[in-house]
Amino acid sequence: MQPPPMQRLTEYADGDRYAYDMGLCADFAQVDTDQDASWYGIWACPARLVVFTFCAGDCSTVKCDTTSEFRA
């Protein structure tokens, strides 16, 4: 039997990613990549196994079920 897929919430938000640099909960950390720009950013919360991505207004929140999924 397959485990249920990770929970994913998507929504759209006007603006740029900088609102999330200070606006996310204190337990989120910015994940730096070579693609970071005003239209793209990733933040992660290892304690809750949550990853948040902003890409040109498209926001995606993924709740991982295991630490292995979170690391991947």
Side-chain angles (χ1 to χ4, degrees):
M1 181 174 193
Q2 289 279 335
M6 292 181 280
Q7 297 174 23
R8 179 182 298 268
L9 170 67
T10 57
E11 57 190 344
Y12 182 81
D14 283 328
D16 56 38
R17 54 95 28 109
Y18 300 116
Y20 298 101
D21 283 337
M22 297 299 218
L24 289 175
C25 297
D27 56 350
F28 275 84
Q30 182 176 337
V31 179
D32 292 323
T33 72
D34 60 355
Q35 298 177 8
D36 290 349
S38 63
W39 61 86
Y40 183 77
I42 300 173
W43 297 263
C45 176
R48 293 188 280 152
L49 304 178
V50 175
V51 177
F52 176 79
T53 304
F54 177 88
C55 184
D58 292 324
C59 301
S60 178
T61 304
V62 176
K63 170 70 172 101
C64 302
D65 295 316
T66 66
T67 55
S68 297
E69 286 178 349
F70 180 78
R71 280 182 270 174

